[in-house]
């Protein structure tokens, strides 16, 4: 198995094909009016670097993406050329077709046509800068449209997105998936399990909502409550658990550290005892059921 | 579409000085090279030691070092980047490849998650998986507790990826990664009786997760397909935590706490896209199968609570050998097409299923009625829908959609649920200066419970009246509107509003309603040749209404049972508000020579709860007091950075960060370690801080 993997990797390194070259004469036609744009494209972008340094492959020029420029040179109108600027006369779908001609068959872009971004007329150039080297700071690019998420990641409890340790594209594929939320997995739990392998189980005692959907209790983008919880404890637990004695008792303003010090409210509330809420590997002792896996206290 | 950007990260703010040079600075053989080294220092000052200040960041007084190397030859490239070298949030990436052909990267980084500092426990050996205390230590007197420690988890990640994607038909990729979290986190356990005292103790974290993933694909003019597979092995080096229970008379650790189990997770999948297949259509499919397994023996003994001796006794189970076997299967398909000009449609279907073949273990009680068997949860889901978009006059687009989801699950309180979702959306861009969007969505959910009122006995009769919000009947209304103004070429204004109502209309006990109002706005102004200014604000208020029954064992929990001091219906109304605003400025004062950036942010959260209790005569059965401080917090952040390019190859950056954080919550207000009903260690009680950080970095480019 290891040898096969190694062979696959080595063969990839050994069999690279030429990417192409810039057709200089054609580019110079545009440079007369757009010198700054052309220079920054040639010197500072991946496309420009790749095409300008590999003279063995197919030839590319500005018209590869912008279409025939003869009429534009004559009338100097933006409508007579494929423009990716804000003032473009083309619909985003048409602009994206230009990019997809080359990039559409990559694994990441296979499901572009089913994604929300395509449907909402997001153009490739809305996020990607073609003429100027600009690293996509994933979160800030996304926040420009997803203002609700910008708010959530700034809250009390959040994944380290602002700190640069987790990025939006770690969990989402902005180029489209068949999953809800364009996540990089088939289900929410399968996505979370990639990093939170300790939550996978299998457990002897399972907590059904945990097994079905992490989002029942957590907001992955950020929350006002600790542990990314959607609601404050004990209320979140009590919205599902009512039984005799403590699960159904109101924990009110009389019961903090300053009051009767009820341990269902102070500190971490229900988790003061029921910490194995994601599942337990402990046995159940019918003779002493409170210290047991079945109620997630062990 | 207008775009504004925000400074989002202190890391990025500090890393900005190490931006790679755009062009080659020197050559080595046939390689064009550029390289840089940044050296400096960060100094911090903080009032109170708080883990929250450095929750995910290493802000110690320390030296700063960063480096990069970029190399290019023809269409080959090689990049090395090292940031915050030697710190707990350090990161190293070596990447390279050939444009249009292959790429690879090798990485190492560490993520620190500081939870709480300076905790205190009576156990003499926090960090160990066998917790005991020594002579002279009393668990009920914190003055005798010997051990200060930090709750903190540090995760080291390293791995490599390679992919091949030439213009030929074959593409493939492979990636390997190892993650190693280690540290201590707080955990809670019960000590004796139902709802009785609890104990907070330090749980050691020593884990490893190895993952390998591969994908092989084939592409042709109108179709692409690929197969993928991954294997992940999670290893927990802590088998379980043994601890001495202070409520028992046993003098050795006889109690055991389970930990997340080691497991193997493998997954295979495939996907394909045909594009186009007529009518400007695409047909997309994806299927996957995953299997999650483990083998673990349960504890052979547990502490005997009889008489609170804590002596180990045998686990009363028919077997203690557990074999975990969960399987997940999914299948998805989507057909996007344009059956008539400009009418865009998407038909989709998703299926997912979880099979549960875990070992079923029966734990035997004194009588057969007291036997307990673990329940094996499984489900399957069908989800299908259609989205339609059609252009109307005046650059307006109408979107309509319908989705149906049917879920069957092994869960008696909601054996099956059926969701119907309808929506209508209008988008308009007739005016050059504004794009508008408005959407309404309705969800109807019906749910089947597996029990009847007559089939439930004793205290369990509450289940007939209890409905759980994640699966029960509900109606949801959601309205959203957005305006995106381009007032001038250099001025943008964005406004958004969302209203959401969930009405759990058949719930007697449980969550009855929740609703939220959200408003977001931002304004950006680009001053030609001067800089960019951005201001933004967010506001969200969410309200929850819940009902419950307080009752003693043996009392009928029916809501109609006459109330008394211990048995009554009650309700809670919870309101959470969060709001934030910020200002940011980026000023290239002298182009390519001096630039300055600064930003201010304030985020606040405030929660409160009102209670309503069933009346007992003229007065409520229980006089509940409202809570006015439920996860209240305030965070003010000021940051500034000035960069001066002294020469083309020498740049100096000076930065400053100020942050104030205040937290107020009834659960932590007047916090004490040994309140009598719980023995605590101080976890999460040290949020407040006022922190200052300054840094100076000099970067030399070669």
């Amino acid at each position: 198995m290891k040898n096969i993997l190694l062979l696959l990797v080595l063969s990839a390194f050994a069999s690279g094909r030429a990417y192409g070259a810039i057709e200089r004469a054609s580019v110079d036609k545009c440079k007369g009016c757009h010198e700054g744009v052309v220079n920054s494209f040639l010197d500072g972008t991946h496309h420009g670097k790749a095409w300008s340094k590999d003279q063995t492959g197919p030839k590319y020029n500005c018209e590869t993406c912008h279409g025939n420029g003869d009429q534009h040179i004559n009338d100097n109108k933006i409508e007579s050329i494929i423009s990716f600027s804000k003032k473009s006369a083309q619909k985003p779908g048409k602009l994206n077709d230009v990019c997809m001609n080359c990039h559409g068959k990559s694994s990441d872009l296979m499901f572009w046509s089913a994604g929300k971004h395509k449907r909402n007329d997001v153009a490739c150039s809305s996020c990607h800068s073609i003429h100027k080297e600009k690293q996509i700071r994933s979160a800030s690019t996304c926040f420009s449209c997803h203002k609700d998420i910008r708010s959530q990641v700034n809250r009390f409890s959040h994944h380290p997105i602002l700190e640069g340790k987790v990025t939006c594209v770690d969990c989402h594929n902005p180029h489209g998936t068949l999953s809800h939320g364009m996540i990089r997995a088939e289900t929410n739990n399968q996505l979370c399990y990639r990093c939170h392998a300790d939550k996978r189980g299998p457990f002897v005692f399972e907590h059904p909502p945990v097994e079905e959907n992490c989002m029942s209790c957590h907001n992955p983008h950020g929350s006002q409550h600790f542990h990314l919880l959607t609601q404050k404890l004990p209320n979140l637990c009590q919205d599902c658990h009512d039984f005799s004695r403590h699960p159904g008792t109101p924990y009110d303003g009389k019961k903090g550290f300053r009051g009767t010090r009820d341990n269902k409210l102070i500190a971490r509330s229900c988790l003061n005892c029921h910490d194995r809420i994601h599942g337990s590997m402990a046995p159940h002792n019918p003779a002493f059921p409170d210290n047991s896996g079945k109620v997630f206290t062990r | 579409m207008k775009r504004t950007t925000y400074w989002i990260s202190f890391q990025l703010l500090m890393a900005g000085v190490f931006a790679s040079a755009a062009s080659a600075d020197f050559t080595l053989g046939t390689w064009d090279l550029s390289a840089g080294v940044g050296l400096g220092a960060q100094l911090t000052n903080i009032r109170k030691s708080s883990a929250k200040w450095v929750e995910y960041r290493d802000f110690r007084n320390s030296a700063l070092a960063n480096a990069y190397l970029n190399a290019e030859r023809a269409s080959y490239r090689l990049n090395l980047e090292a940031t915050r070298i030697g710190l707990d949030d350090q990161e190293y990436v070596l990447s390279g490849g050939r444009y249009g052909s292959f790429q690879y990267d090798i990485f190492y980084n560490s993520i620190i998650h500081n939870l709480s500092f300076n905790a205190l426990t009576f156990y003499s050996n926090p960090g160990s998986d066998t917790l005991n205390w020594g002579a002279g230590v009393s668990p009920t007197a914190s003055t005798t507790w010997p051990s200060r420690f930090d709750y903190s988890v540090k995760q080291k990640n390293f791995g490599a990826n390679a992919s091949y994607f030439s213009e030929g038909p074959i593409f493939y990729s492979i990636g390997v990664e190892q993650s190693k979290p280690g540290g201590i986190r707080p955990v809670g356990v019960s000590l004796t009786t139902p709802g009785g005292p609890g104990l907070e103790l330090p749980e050691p974290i020593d884990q490893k997760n190895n993952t390998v993933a591969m994908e092989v694909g084939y592409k042709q003019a109108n179709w692409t397909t690929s197969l993928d597979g991954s294997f992940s092995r999670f290893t927990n080096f802590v088998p379980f935590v043994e601890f001495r229970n202070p409520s028992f008379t046993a003098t050795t650790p006889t109690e055991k706490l389970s930990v997340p189990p080691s497991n193997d997770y493998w997954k295979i999948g495939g996907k394909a896209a045909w594009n186009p297949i007529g009518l400007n259509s695409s047909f997309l499919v994806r299927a996957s199968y995953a299997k999650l397994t483990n083998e673990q023996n349960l504890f052979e003994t547990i502490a005997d609570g009889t008489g609170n001796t804590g002596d180990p006794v045998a686990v009363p189970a028919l077997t203690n050998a557990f074999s975990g076997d969960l399987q997940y299967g999914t299948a998805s398909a989507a057909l996007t097409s344009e059956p008539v000009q400009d009418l865009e449609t998407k038909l989709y279907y998703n299926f997912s299923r979880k099979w549960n073949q875990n070992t079923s273990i029966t734990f035997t009680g004194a009588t057969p009625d007291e036997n307990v068997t673990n329940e094996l949860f499984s489900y399957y889901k069908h989800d299908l829908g259609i989205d339609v978009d059609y252009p109307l006059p005046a650059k307006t687009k109408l979107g309509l959609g319908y989705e149906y989801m049917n879920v069957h699950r092994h869960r008696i309180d909601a054996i099956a649920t059926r969701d119907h979702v309808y929506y209508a959306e209008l988008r308009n861009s007739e005016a050059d200066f504004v794009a508008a969007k408005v959407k309404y969505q309705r969800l109807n959910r019906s749910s089947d419970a597996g029990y009847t009122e007559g089939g439930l006995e004793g205290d369990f009769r509450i289940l007939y009246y209890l409905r759980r919000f994640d699966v029960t009947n509900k109606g949801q209304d959601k309205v959203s509107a957005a305006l995106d103004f381009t007032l001038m070429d250099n001025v943008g204004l964005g406004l958004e509003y969302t209203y959401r109502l969930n009405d759990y209309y058949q719930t007697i006990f449980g969550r009855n309603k929740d609703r939220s109002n959200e408003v977001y706005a931002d304004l950006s102004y680009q001053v030609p040749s001067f800089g960019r200014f951005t201001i933004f604000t967010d506001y969200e208020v969410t309200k929850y209404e819940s009902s419950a029954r307080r009752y003693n064992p043996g009392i009928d929990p029916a809501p109609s049972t006459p109330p008394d001091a211990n048995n009554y219906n009650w309700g809670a109304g919870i309101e959470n508000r969060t709001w934030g605003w910020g200002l940011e400025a980026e000023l290239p004062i002298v182009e390519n020579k001096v630039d300055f950036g600064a930003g201010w942010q304030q985020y606040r959260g405030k929660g409160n709860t009102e209670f309503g209790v069933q009346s007992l005569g003229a007065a409520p059965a229980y006089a509940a007091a409202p809570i006015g401080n439920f996860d209240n917090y305030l965070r003010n952040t000021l940051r500034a950075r000035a960069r001066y390019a002294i020469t083309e190859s020498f740049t100096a950056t000076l930065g400053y960060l100020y942050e104030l954080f205040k937290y107020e919550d009834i659960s932590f207000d007047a916090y004490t370690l040994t309140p009598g009903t719980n023995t605590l260690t101080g976890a999460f009680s040290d949020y407040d801080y006022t922190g200052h950080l300054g840094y100076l970095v000099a970067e030399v480019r070669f």
Side-chain angles (χ1 to χ4, degrees):
Chain A
M1 182 67 178
K2 286 180 180 174
N3 290 338
I4 293 172
L5 297 180
L6 187 61
L7 186 64
L8 283 170
V9 175
L10 291 177
S11 64
F13 289 117
S15 60
R17 289 177 54 161
Y19 196 43
I22 292 285
E23 197 174 28
R24 281 285 175 180
S26 178
V27 169
D28 287 344
K29 278 198 304 188
C30 307
K31 207 170 177 179
C33 296
H34 303 285
E35 185 175 5
V37 172
V38 170
N39 285 342
S40 69
F41 175 77
L42 292 176
D43 294 339
T45 66
H46 280 195
H47 284 117
K49 287 177 185 174
W51 294 339
S52 62
K53 291 182 177 175
D54 189 334
Q55 299 302 317
T56 57
K59 297 289 187 283
Y60 299 94
N61 57 43
C62 304
E63 293 177 337
T64 306
C65 299
H66 292 283
N68 189 306
D70 291 343
Q71 189 183 340
H72 175 69
I73 290 171
N74 290 332
D75 63 19
N76 197 26
K77 289 183 177 173
I78 196 168
E79 294 83 4
S80 55
I81 198 169
I82 299 173
S83 167
F84 297 84
S85 75
K86 289 179 188 174
K87 296 175 182 174
S88 174
Q90 283 80 26
K91 292 180 179 177
K94 295 294 179 191
L95 299 178
N96 292 343
D97 286 346
V98 174
C99 306
M100 296 295 277
N101 277 337
C102 294
H103 297 283
K105 293 181 180 58
S106 74
S107 178
D108 245 21
L109 280 155
M110 275 170 68
F111 293 157
W112 168 255
S113 61
K116 290 274 188 187
H117 284 156
K118 190 253 182 187
R119 184 156 185 255
N120 283 287
D121 293 334
V122 176
C124 304
S125 54
S126 298
C127 305
H128 298 276
S129 176
I130 311 302
H131 285 147
K132 201 173 177 182
E133 180 75 346
K134 180 185 166 191
Q135 186 179 353
I136 294 182
R137 304 286 193 199
S138 172
S140 59
T141 302
C142 303
F143 292 165
S144 59
C145 289
H146 299 279
K147 298 179 175 68
D148 52 339
I149 308 301
R150 176 194 66 200
S151 172
Q152 289 166 17
V153 302
N154 270 292
R155 292 183 186 172
F156 171 74
S157 171
H158 58 267
H159 272 116
I161 299 168
L162 298 175
E163 291 79 3
K165 293 296 184 184
V166 175
T167 68
C168 305
V169 296
D170 288 337
C171 301
H172 299 276
N173 181 351
H175 299 130
T177 72
L178 298 184
S179 312
H180 278 275
M182 296 202 293
I183 58 172
R184 289 188 182 274
E186 288 72 24
T187 66
N188 289 336
N189 284 31
Q190 286 185 311
L191 178 71
C192 301
Y193 290 162
R194 285 167 40 170
C195 292
H196 300 281
D198 58 322
K199 305 295 188 293
R200 292 198 295 225
F203 296 104
V204 176
F205 288 103
E206 300 170 316
H207 192 182
V210 172
E211 296 291 324
E212 186 172 335
N213 189 357
C214 305
M215 307 309 147
S216 295
C217 299
H218 297 283
N219 182 340
H221 298 117
S223 166
Q224 182 178 349
H225 316 297
F226 89 145
H227 290 353
L228 299 166
L229 291 174
T230 54
Q231 208 194 142
K232 172 80 175 169
L233 300 181
N235 305 84
L236 178 61
C237 304
Q238 287 187 307
D239 275 352
C240 289
H241 296 282
D242 193 348
F243 202 64
S244 59
R245 291 201 177 112
H246 76 268
T249 298
Y251 298 105
D252 65 319
K254 295 177 179 176
K255 294 180 177 172
F257 282 99
R258 294 187 190 279
T260 55
R261 294 182 174 179
D262 195 310
N263 68 350
K264 274 70 76 179
L265 181 65
I266 60 169
R268 293 185 301 138
S269 186
C270 308
L271 299 181
N272 287 330
C273 297
H274 303 272
D275 199 281
R276 293 303 181 224
I277 208 66
H278 294 107
S280 175
M281 295 301 289
H284 177 72
N285 180 359
F288 195 36
D290 306 304
N291 294 0
S292 130
K294 181 174 169 57
V295 292
F296 306 117
T297 55
R298 289 291 185 275
Chain B
M1 190 172 288
K2 176 179 63 63
R3 290 289 177 269
T4 56
T5 58
Y6 302 91
W7 286 3
I8 51 125
S9 162
F10 303 117
Q11 299 284 2
L12 296 180
L13 180 119
M14 296 178 72
V17 293
F18 310 112
S20 303
S23 57
D25 293 305
F26 62 99
T27 60
L28 183 66
T30 57
W31 287 89
D32 298 328
L33 301 176
S34 61
V37 173
L39 295 172
Q42 64 179 17
L43 295 173
T44 186
N45 178 278
I46 179 172
R47 186 177 62 80
K48 293 180 71 175
S49 174
S50 170
K52 192 70 178 169
W53 162 245
V54 287
E55 184 176 13
Y56 298 115
R57 316 176 286 200
D58 188 345
F59 281 169
R60 288 172 291 179
N61 290 331
S62 67
L64 290 175
N66 302 267
Y68 74 87
L69 170 69
N70 295 325
E72 292 178 358
R73 188 189 71 178
S75 56
Y76 292 90
R77 66 179 180 86
L78 178 74
N79 310 94
L80 171 65
E81 191 167 10
T83 51
R84 300 180 64 76
I85 296 168
L87 298 178
D88 281 343
D89 48 8
Q90 61 191 325
E91 191 160 347
Y92 306 84
V93 182
L94 171 67
S95 61
R98 190 180 191 195
Y99 293 106
S101 179
F102 68 88
Q103 65 183 27
Y104 59 88
D105 66 80
I106 302 167
F107 64 88
Y108 169 81
N109 63 67
S110 65
I111 301 176
I112 189 81
H113 192 185
N114 290 311
L115 303 168
S116 206
F117 288 161
N118 215 24
L120 184 62
T121 181
F122 53 81
Y123 290 114
S124 58
N125 51 350
S128 164
D129 58 10
T130 305
L131 296 167
N132 199 353
W133 64 88
V137 174
S138 169
T140 57
S142 59
T143 52
T144 67
W145 294 4
S147 304
R148 290 276 180 191
F149 65 100
D150 295 336
Y151 286 117
S152 177
V153 178
K154 183 178 177 182
Q155 179 168 308
K156 299 173 182 174
N157 307 302
F158 52 93
N161 299 288
S163 55
Y164 172 82
F165 45 86
S166 80
E167 290 181 355
I170 301 284
F171 61 89
Y172 49 86
S173 64
I174 182 170
V176 293
E177 181 172 358
Q178 181 175 94
S179 301
K180 291 183 71 174
I184 300 176
R185 60 158 292 227
V187 65
V189 293
S190 58
L191 290 179
T192 54
T193 56
L199 169 66
E200 190 170 83
L201 49 82
E203 177 190 4
I205 305 294
D206 186 6
Q207 302 165 351
K208 182 170 74 175
N209 188 32
N210 289 333
T211 304
V212 57
M214 293 178 62
E215 182 180 17
V216 179
Y218 189 83
K219 60 189 179 187
Q220 284 294 303
N222 289 331
W223 59 275
T224 310
T225 186
S226 73
L227 294 171
D228 59 85
S230 64
F231 175 74
S232 169
R233 170 163 288 172
F234 170 73
T235 306
N236 193 339
F237 295 104
V238 178
F240 50 82
V241 179
E242 264 185 311
F243 64 99
R244 184 176 162 191
N245 186 334
S247 295
F248 291 163
T249 54
T251 56
T252 57
T254 57
E255 280 269 43
K256 294 186 180 75
L257 171 68
S258 74
V259 298
S262 299
N263 57 59
D264 286 347
Y265 179 72
W266 62 265
K267 182 179 173 184
I268 55 171
K271 59 184 179 180
W274 284 266
N275 180 21
I277 55 171
L279 299 175
N280 201 16
S281 301
S282 299
F283 183 61
L284 316 165
V285 292
R286 163 81 181 154
S288 73
Y289 172 79
K291 190 174 175 71
L292 176 62
T293 59
N294 64 359
E295 302 282 343
Q296 186 166 322
N297 288 338
L298 308 188
F299 314 150
E300 293 182 353
T301 62
I302 53 178
D304 183 8
T306 309
N308 288 348
T309 63
D311 294 330
V313 295
V315 171
L318 299 179
T319 176
N320 72 335
F322 176 77
S323 175
D325 184 347
L326 302 175
Q327 295 159 60
Y328 304 87
T330 66
S332 301
L335 173 66
T336 62
S337 63
E338 198 174 320
V340 298
Q341 189 175 6
D342 293 332
L343 176 69
E344 297 174 1
T345 64
K346 175 185 163 187
L347 278 164
Y348 61 90
Y349 170 73
N350 296 302
F351 171 77
S352 63
R353 180 162 190 170
K354 176 182 180 180
W355 293 270
N356 193 327
Q357 296 178 331
N358 288 348
T359 305
S360 179
I361 300 178
T362 297
F363 301 90
T364 50
T367 66
D369 286 347
E370 293 180 4
N371 289 356
V372 167
T373 303
N374 58 329
E375 296 176 30
L376 309 183
F377 178 72
S378 60
Y379 63 77
Y380 65 86
K381 300 181 180 184
H382 298 279
D383 170 27
L384 57 96
I386 182 170
D387 297 322
V388 178
D389 290 286
Y390 190 71
L392 301 176
K395 289 188 180 176
T396 300
K397 202 170 185 179
L398 171 66
L400 298 171
Y402 169 73
E403 180 179 6
Y404 172 72
M405 182 183 285
N406 188 342
V407 184
H408 287 256
R409 55 176 75 79
H410 186 85
R411 180 173 160 181
I412 195 167
D413 64 327
I415 294 171
T417 52
R418 293 160 298 280
D419 288 5
H420 298 269
V421 182
Y422 317 83
Y423 74 84
E425 181 180 43
L426 280 173
R427 280 170 279 168
N428 178 277
S429 56
E430 170 70 5
D432 288 342
F433 67 93
V434 62
K437 184 169 80 172
V438 60
K439 181 178 181 180
Y440 170 74
Q441 180 174 297
R442 169 74 188 178
L443 179 154
N444 289 324
R445 171 177 294 166
S446 59
S447 178
D448 300 333
Y451 36 58
T452 60
E453 186 174 14
L456 296 165
E457 295 180 349
D459 293 356
F460 290 94
R461 277 173 46 75
I462 189 76
L463 297 175
Y464 182 71
Y465 308 102
L466 180 67
R467 294 290 179 269
R468 286 159 177 147
F469 65 90
D470 61 326
V471 287
T472 194
N473 302 296
K474 77 169 179 179
Q476 183 191 71
D477 294 294
K478 184 179 174 186
V479 180
S480 59
L483 293 168
D484 201 356
F485 293 92
T486 305
L487 302 175
M488 291 179 279
D489 279 351
N490 56 347
V491 180
L493 172 65
L495 300 169
E496 273 187 32
Y497 170 72
T498 301
Y499 171 78
R500 185 186 293 106
L501 167 67
N502 286 309
D503 183 1
Y504 309 91
Y505 51 87
Q506 287 189 334
T507 296
I508 297 173
F509 295 139
R511 188 183 296 175
N512 302 107
K513 278 184 184 175
D514 61 68
R515 73 191 79 190
S516 66
N517 285 276
E518 303 165 31
V519 179
Y520 308 99
D522 57 39
L523 173 69
S524 68
Y525 179 37
Q526 176 90 41
V527 184
S529 304
F530 184 71
R532 180 169 62 204
F533 299 87
T534 304
I535 181 169
F536 66 89
T537 185
D538 315 326
Y539 177 75
E540 178 183 326
V541 56
T542 306
K543 295 181 180 179
Y544 301 90
E545 296 173 24
S546 303
S547 300
R549 173 104 185 152
R550 202 280 170 209
Y551 65 106
N552 276 345
I555 304 297
D556 187 352
S560 57
T561 302
D564 59 34
N566 293 311
N567 305 278
Y568 50 84
N569 302 330
W570 62 276
I574 303 159
E575 183 179 271
N576 293 316
R577 294 173 186 271
T578 61
W579 62 97
W581 66 280
L583 290 164
E584 291 176 354
E586 292 176 75
L587 308 173
I589 294 169
V590 180
E591 194 172 356
N592 296 326
K593 193 75 178 170
V594 181
D595 62 67
F596 176 77
W600 161 265
Q601 277 190 11
Q602 182 179 80
Y603 269 86
R604 282 176 178 269
K606 182 168 174 50
N608 64 72
T609 306
E610 300 284 342
F611 294 90
V613 181
Q614 193 175 12
S615 290
L616 180 64
Y622 172 76
I627 297 173
N629 53 343
F630 237 19
D631 279 340
N632 295 353
Y633 73 94
L634 164 70
R635 189 181 68 228
N636 290 334
T637 305
L638 171 70
R639 53 188 184 272
R641 181 205 62 200
R643 179 164 46 196
Y644 178 36
I646 300 164
T647 67
E648 278 193 4
S649 59
F650 186 68
T651 303
T653 301
L654 180 65
Y656 171 71
L657 167 69
Y658 160 81
E659 213 164 75
L660 166 74
F661 193 91
K662 286 185 177 176
Y663 178 72
E664 188 191 348
D665 183 278
I666 187 172
S667 306
F668 289 88
D669 191 18
Y671 187 96
T672 52
L673 294 177
T674 53
T677 54
N678 235 52
T679 304
L680 301 171
T681 60
F684 305 113
S685 65
D686 62 338
Y687 283 136
D688 291 6
Y689 65 81
T690 304
H692 304 265
L693 176 84
Y695 61 91
L696 176 65
V697 176
E699 182 199 14
V700 180
R701 289 182 176 182
F702 304 105

